[in-house]
Amino acid sequence: MIICSALISASAAVFNIRFDLTVAVNMITSSCQSLDHSLSYRLRLDLSPQGELSVTTGILEPINNEVKIFWAKDILAGEVSMFSGNALTKPQN
């Protein structure tokens, strides 16, 4: 959660959007405490342009079929360069 909050915080700062990490952590914690711990969930934290936070959750359904995983560089034609500016997503040599 630390990495995600740093990304949200940095993005909010770029766009001059108020982001309160304490409120975000409290909302996430409260939301997680209300879930059935025997199931797996996805959680989404949204930040509006006005600085309002919202949390949504959903049950992760099992995937019964094999899933094909591919890289964008393998399906895009020509010389492709991808850059996110995030040191955590830079390719490892």
Side-chain angles (χ1 to χ4, degrees):
M1 187 164 57
I2 293 169
I3 293 170
C4 293
S5 63
L7 293 173
I8 293 171
S9 181
S11 295
V14 166
F15 294 105
N16 200 27
I17 298 173
R18 176 179 36 89
F19 174 70
D20 189 327
L21 178 60
T22 302
V23 171
V25 169
N26 289 339
M27 289 178 74
I28 292 168
T29 301
S30 176
S31 181
C32 289
Q33 288 174 344
S34 69
L35 301 175
D36 178 348
H37 296 290
S38 68
L39 300 172
S40 295
Y41 294 86
R42 62 170 174 75
L43 182 139
R44 177 176 171 152
L45 176 69
D46 287 311
L47 176 65
S48 77
Q50 295 75 32
E52 297 168 357
L53 291 163
S54 63
V55 173
T56 54
T57 61
I59 296 174
L60 289 175
E61 300 294 335
I63 299 174
N64 297 321
N65 299 329
E66 189 173 300
V67 177
K68 180 175 171 77
I69 298 176
F70 55 88
W71 297 105
K73 68 177 182 63
D74 295 335
I75 62 170
L76 298 173
E79 183 124 353
V80 177
S81 177
M82 293 175 253
F83 175 73
S84 73
N86 181 341
L88 297 174
T89 60
K90 288 184 180 176
Q92 303 298 313
N93 294 332

